[in-house]
Amino acid sequence: MSADVVSGAVKVAGPRGTRGLTVVAQGAVAGVMALLTVTFWMLYEFRRLEVFQPLEDAAMLYRYAVNLAVGGGVAWNPGEAPGLTDGATDLGFVLLLAPLIAAGLSAAAGGLLINGFGVLAVGAVLGAANALVWRLPLWLLLGIVGLVASGPLYLYVVSGFSPAVFGAGLAVLFLLAVGAQRRGTAVLLVVTGLAAGLLGWWRPEGFVLAPLVVASALLVGSARPTPATHLRRRRWWLAVGAFGVVALGWVAIRLMYFGQLLPTSAVLKADGLHPANVLFSLQFLT
């Protein structure tokens, strides 16, 4: 064995088998931490743990999934051509829900199951990334996972929306990109690029967020940067800068077209600010 990480973290250096067990162990602990945190906030907010019926846009997604499960396609009404009424923004969520519904689960139960695995995966990937890259003490890792899972994540799980799974996809993408950076294999980099593209079909913002996650992971993936690495990083900073221009353009659209920067949940229909929803929006943006 070489060096150990002190202050509560487990060993991360040494034979490959030991290192693999460490990655799995930290991932498992962090995943359970994320799931327990979300469950705590659900119980604190609603005083009960149950399968809630989907709300708002989520209910629309569930209707698409039910129709797909019974052979009606991704359509609002069975028998219609999907191109006429397709509004399933979270297409990946619909495609995952449909087989569970066809197997006998209710749409609401299937959504809760998928989102639960999404929360577990977010924590697990953070734990694995810590074992491979950051090497933070275990107590600090669990604190970070608890902070991440204490945002509005539980509300998405309860209402049936799919950001939990989308976030898990971004986390897995980060881990793939770190692996591509460290191993330097073209095949893994191609797989990472394909995964980034597929996330865009889960939710439209994936087309922007996925490349940003890949660029960030490639920047931090090297534990001991060399001068040559810094030269390569200039190219990635150029890529990040290009996406930054896109992001600023989106901010401009938000301000000029929608009239405000915060998500619409922060603003009432009467154009007045709602303090509780402003706080929720700040949680979301953070």
Side-chain angles (χ1 to χ4, degrees):
M1 287 289 179
S2 54
D4 297 342
V5 177
V6 295
S7 302
V10 290
K11 297 178 179 179
V12 294
R16 179 171 299 181
T18 304
R19 188 163 59 247
L21 287 175
T22 298
V23 172
V24 171
Q26 288 204 31
V29 171
V32 171
M33 177 67 181
L35 197 57
L36 288 177
T37 302
V38 167
T39 303
F40 166 79
W41 285 113
M42 289 171 62
L43 291 173
Y44 179 80
E45 177 79 16
F46 301 102
R47 299 294 191 272
R48 64 190 190 278
L49 190 62
E50 65 179 56
V51 177
F52 292 84
Q53 292 304 307
L55 303 173
E56 298 180 346
D57 289 357
M60 298 170 62
L61 292 174
Y62 282 38
R63 176 163 173 161
Y64 284 114
V66 169
N67 288 335
L68 180 61
V70 298
V74 185
W76 184 250
N77 297 311
E80 289 181 339
L84 293 177
T85 58
D86 177 22
T89 307
D90 298 36
L91 181 59
F93 194 45
V94 171
L95 296 178
L96 280 183
L97 266 175
L100 296 179
I101 296 171
L105 284 179
S106 68
L112 185 62
L113 182 65
I114 292 173
N115 275 320
F117 274 108
V119 172
L120 188 71
V122 168
V125 173
L126 286 174
N130 183 65
L132 293 171
V133 182
W134 301 311
R135 315 283 176 86
L136 298 173
L138 189 57
W139 64 268
L140 184 54
L141 166 66
L142 295 182
I144 292 173
V145 171
L147 180 64
V148 170
S150 290
L153 189 57
Y154 74 98
L155 290 174
Y156 292 126
V157 172
V158 167
S159 60
F161 291 97
S162 70
V165 190
F166 180 65
L170 290 175
V172 170
L173 184 62
F174 175 85
L175 207 56
L176 282 174
V178 168
Q181 163 76 311
R182 294 206 157 189
R183 291 181 177 274
T185 59
V187 172
L188 189 53
L189 190 59
V190 168
V191 170
T192 303
L194 289 174
L198 288 174
L199 272 178
W201 294 105
W202 184 278
R203 286 192 57 83
E205 59 266 31
F207 286 120
V208 174
L209 293 177
L212 284 175
V213 167
V214 172
S216 301
L218 293 175
L219 286 171
V220 304
S222 179
R224 294 182 177 84
T226 63
T229 304
H230 285 298
L231 289 175
R232 289 196 298 271
R233 286 183 178 180
R234 291 178 185 176
R235 301 176 186 176
W236 292 112
W237 281 118
L238 182 62
V240 171
F243 282 107
V245 171
V246 174
L248 289 176
W250 172 241
V251 168
I253 291 173
R254 290 283 313 182
L255 292 176
M256 291 188 294
Y257 183 78
F258 295 100
Q260 42 83 26
L261 183 60
L262 292 176
T264 51
S265 62
V267 183
L268 291 176
K269 301 297 184 181
D271 297 327
L273 289 177
H274 191 292
N277 283 340
V278 169
L279 178 60
F280 172 79
S281 296
L282 292 176
Q283 277 185 295
F284 176 83
L285 293 173
T286 302

